[in-house]
Amino acid sequence: MVTSEHMIRFEQVAKRYPGGIQALGDISFELGRGEMVFLTGRSGAGKSTLLKLIALLERPSRGRVLFDGRNVGRLSRRQIPWLRRQIGIVFQEHALLSDRRVFDNVALPLVIAGVAYPEIRRRVRAALDKVGLLDKERSYPPMLSGGQQQRVGIARAIVAKPSLLLADEPTGNLDPELSAELMQFFVSLHELGTTVLIASHDLDLIRRLQRRVLVLKDGTLADDVPAKQVTVS
Amino acid sequence: MSRRGGSQSGGVPWPGGLRAWARRHAYSLLSSLGALVRHPVASLMTVVVLAITLSLPTGLYMTLENAERISDGWERLDTISVFLDAELEERDAMQLASKLSARPGIVAVDPISPQAGMAELTGRLRLDDVSEQIETNPLPWVLEVTPESGQNPETLSRRLQEADGVDQVVIDLQWLERLQAILAVLERLAIVLGVLFAVAVAFVIGNTIRMDIQNRREEIRVLSLVGATDGFVRRPFLYSGFWYGLAGGLTAWLLIEIALLALSGPVGRLSGAYASDFALASPPLEIIAVLILGSGILGIVGSWLAVSRHLRGL
């Protein structure tokens, strides 16, 4: 596989939704391999749209989005699954199957990849253990709290060991203590080599972690603060 | 299909190759069965509708098969009546009878005298006093020829016509021809119905799968979000269609056997009344195989229609 220096590269990307709503306009930035970056901005600033463009949940109206050197906007419908398997995504609205047990929900990416069952069991348990929900593997998602469901979603996103982790407000439903714990968990993933991009408006938490921060404002990139300049207030 | 999808994605192979492919199939198979079992009443209702739909043309076909077996027996009873020249005496008639009975293709020759013929005729027409009023019997000698089964009666009658002393050859096959024509019409009807009902089965299954897809929209969305191929999403629905068809075919077979069992008593009494040992035959193995496998394939066809129409653009 051709490896690119940049995991993600946006080149003058714009996204206009049907109906004329301009979600993003002229965004350009790069995300290095193994980097950990926060994406922040008010709600409606375009954070979710930006993440969706990477995983091809939406296609850009203009410009190019490169994942590992490939223009994702040019991928055919058949190639989308390949892209999504490189990326672990934590969705804001969890996107869990309510009629499947927690274990089966987390196992989904491995089942799709055709992993053998003993291996699935081992890796699902490991992922659930990391998010502190090993005792809930036989529960159904509706039996869990919002925060617990969020963590099931995180376990599912990391279980297939993706090279890129995207998270849309992963701490949105969690109390500060749990939020800090989860962020620390993302940091440890990053330290093991995963590229991590997290959309969050939890500025205090972001400042404490001292990582690079992209600031979106009205669909444009208002600021790109390098890691060392993020100050603890 | 999924493997093809893998090779297209820029040389990144599917992890695990053939064994992973088999595991994904096993998962689809089990999850499709699970989906049916999770809604037992709905699944059962669909299966019963399918079974009844399938059992109707199969039942008609079985009825015709049995009717043909009966009429095959009747064909052997058919005889050819050879009317001899009026001036032929008893001695000539007897000679001709023994000559004809030696011919190939003829099982037996039964001579009927003019007197016997008159007696039968007056008896049948209830004209007891007619024979007394007619002074000279106008009937000739008649030879009742029983052909070997499988003999073409037409050719045989033409050959009999050429024999010396034969006036006229009469084959009374009309009623049998009519019966066979009726059976042929019904058989064609069974085929037409069979095709129509097969289409109905495919559409019933297609519609069931369509509703299934609608109910599982969220699941399909989540699967595609975490990187499932179209093939992976599609497969459980195709398996479901196959299960519906297979269960429908099996249940149809069961219904037919139950119907045969219910009919066997009255049919036995009826054939007993005709001094026949006729009994209803169960469908032959190949018909059962066609019924069950055919409906399974129809299930796949039906679900394929639904899946290709409703899974696009999700």
Side-chain angles (χ1 to χ4, degrees):
Chain A
M1 195 164 89
V2 189
T3 48
S4 163
E5 182 193 346
H6 301 295
M7 192 89 215
I8 295 166
R9 186 184 161 96
F10 273 56
E11 295 175 353
Q12 277 129 40
V13 174
K15 175 65 186 175
R16 183 189 289 272
Y17 284 108
I21 301 151
Q22 183 88 27
L24 291 176
D26 201 33
I27 301 270
S28 296
F29 71 93
E30 281 147 15
L31 207 67
R33 185 171 294 283
E35 211 179 343
M36 181 172 190
V37 178
F38 285 100
L39 184 64
T40 187
R42 289 205 188 124
S43 66
K47 301 191 293 289
S48 294
T49 300
L50 194 150
L51 295 183
K52 282 177 180 168
L53 289 175
I54 298 170
L56 216 56
L57 298 169
E58 295 290 349
R59 284 181 188 265
S61 317
R62 198 156 45 77
R64 301 204 303 166
V65 177
L66 301 176
F67 173 82
D68 217 357
R70 298 176 111 221
N71 183 354
V72 301
R74 298 273 298 278
L75 289 179
S76 73
R77 196 177 139 73
R78 286 181 155 281
Q79 291 167 316
I80 297 174
W82 164 80
L83 173 73
R84 297 212 180 130
R85 276 180 222 181
Q86 320 283 312
I87 306 173
I89 313 172
V90 179
F91 298 95
Q92 198 171 359
E93 80 291 14
H94 318 320
L96 301 174
L97 300 176
S98 52
D99 61 344
R100 304 287 173 87
R101 293 180 195 280
V102 165
F103 179 95
D104 297 316
N105 266 287
V106 176
L108 222 45
L110 301 177
V111 168
I112 288 167
V115 176
Y117 185 71
E119 175 76 2
I120 289 180
R121 197 170 49 199
R122 199 181 61 72
R123 283 166 71 172
V124 170
R125 291 247 170 91
L128 281 174
D129 194 26
K130 277 184 196 152
V131 296
L133 285 176
L134 194 50
D135 58 328
K136 300 285 185 203
E137 63 171 350
R138 298 195 59 77
S139 305
Y140 290 92
M143 297 154 68
L144 305 179
S145 70
Q148 285 172 325
Q149 290 186 33
Q150 185 71 285
R151 284 186 280 157
V152 174
I154 293 167
R156 185 183 62 192
I158 60 163
V159 75
K161 301 197 174 83
S163 52
L164 171 66
L165 185 77
L166 301 178
D168 196 358
E169 301 285 359
T171 59
N173 288 313
L174 306 180
D175 56 66
E177 202 179 325
L178 210 51
S179 298
E181 208 174 291
L182 262 177
M183 283 300 185
Q184 208 51 57
F185 171 61
F186 285 133
V187 170
S188 67
L189 277 181
H190 153 67
E191 281 163 356
L192 289 170
T194 310
T195 311
V196 181
L197 177 59
I198 300 170
S200 174
H201 58 248
D202 195 341
L203 292 172
D204 287 343
L205 200 55
I206 292 168
R207 281 200 198 96
R208 259 183 282 148
L209 289 167
Q210 293 186 290
R211 304 283 162 181
R212 182 178 163 201
V213 179
L214 297 172
V215 183
L216 281 179
K217 194 177 178 189
D218 299 330
T220 55
L221 201 57
D223 210 348
D224 183 347
V225 191
K228 43 189 171 292
Q229 287 179 22
V230 179
T231 49
V232 186
S233 61
Chain B
M1 175 151 280
S2 46
R3 291 174 65 76
R4 188 151 42 108
S7 63
Q8 273 189 357
S9 54
V12 181
W14 277 75
L18 194 65
R19 291 179 72 174
W21 177 85
R23 278 190 214 109
R24 282 192 294 270
H25 260 275
Y27 172 82
S28 303
L29 193 148
L30 288 175
S31 79
S32 68
L33 272 180
L36 295 189
V37 173
R38 240 173 286 155
H39 307 286
V41 178
S43 305
L44 193 72
M45 285 198 314
T46 304
V47 167
V48 168
V49 168
L50 294 175
I52 292 173
T53 310
L54 287 165
S55 66
L56 289 177
T58 316
L60 181 58
Y61 176 82
M62 284 313 301
T63 310
L64 291 174
E65 282 286 291
N66 281 303
E68 259 165 27
R69 271 194 321 126
I70 302 175
S71 73
D72 277 352
W74 287 339
E75 196 158 13
R76 243 168 284 129
L77 298 177
D78 264 307
T79 53
I80 300 170
S81 303
V82 180
F83 290 80
L84 302 183
D85 289 334
E87 58 269 24
L88 250 57
E89 297 295 319
E90 179 170 1
R91 197 168 49 84
D92 304 321
M94 288 303 177
Q95 230 168 21
L96 189 56
S98 62
K99 214 166 76 188
L100 288 182
S101 63
R103 282 197 184 182
I106 292 173
V107 176
V109 179
D110 187 15
I112 299 167
S113 68
Q115 292 76 29
M118 179 59 83
E120 195 188 328
L121 187 65
T122 53
R124 207 185 281 175
L125 299 179
R126 297 177 185 281
L127 301 167
D128 296 334
D129 48 343
V130 171
S131 54
E132 289 155 28
Q133 285 168 21
I134 298 172
E135 282 164 26
T136 53
N137 188 340
L139 295 177
W141 274 83
V142 177
L143 303 180
E144 289 276 332
V145 174
T146 309
E148 255 173 27
S149 65
Q151 275 282 323
N152 184 353
E154 307 281 341
T155 354
L156 189 62
S157 85
R158 234 176 297 121
R159 278 196 281 131
L160 289 169
Q161 186 79 65
E162 288 156 10
D164 276 340
V166 171
D167 178 36
Q168 208 181 352
V169 179
V170 174
I171 335 169
D172 189 15
L173 279 174
Q174 245 180 3
W175 67 274
L176 194 63
E177 276 169 4
R178 282 183 189 147
L179 178 70
Q180 267 162 355
I182 290 169
L183 287 180
V185 168
L186 288 176
E187 201 163 318
R188 187 59 60 85
L189 187 70
I191 292 169
V192 170
L193 281 180
V195 171
L196 286 176
F197 281 53
V199 172
V201 164
F203 275 95
V204 167
I205 292 175
N207 196 44
T208 307
I209 298 296
R210 182 185 63 82
M211 289 192 288
D212 204 15
I213 290 171
Q214 243 136 37
N215 291 336
R216 287 161 73 180
R217 227 153 238 284
E218 183 59 20
E219 181 181 341
I220 292 165
R221 193 181 70 90
V222 170
L223 278 172
S224 91
L225 285 180
V226 298
T229 57
D230 286 357
F232 186 88
V233 173
R234 200 183 291 139
R235 225 175 288 131
F237 294 108
L238 296 181
Y239 271 113
S240 288
F242 179 67
W243 296 132
Y244 276 128
L246 207 66
L250 278 168
T251 315
W253 178 30
L254 190 72
L255 287 182
I256 288 166
E257 291 292 348
I258 290 171
L260 285 174
L261 209 64
L263 283 172
S264 68
V267 166
R269 280 194 290 283
L270 183 67
S271 68
Y274 280 94
S276 157
D277 57 356
F278 173 80
L280 286 173
S282 280
L285 220 58
E286 57 264 29
I287 291 292
I288 297 167
V290 166
L291 174 69
I292 294 170
L293 287 180
S295 65
I297 290 166
L298 284 174
I300 296 177
V301 170
S303 55
W304 185 271
L305 287 176
V307 162
S308 58
R309 208 171 126 46
H310 295 278
L311 232 48
R312 202 161 292 160
L314 279 172

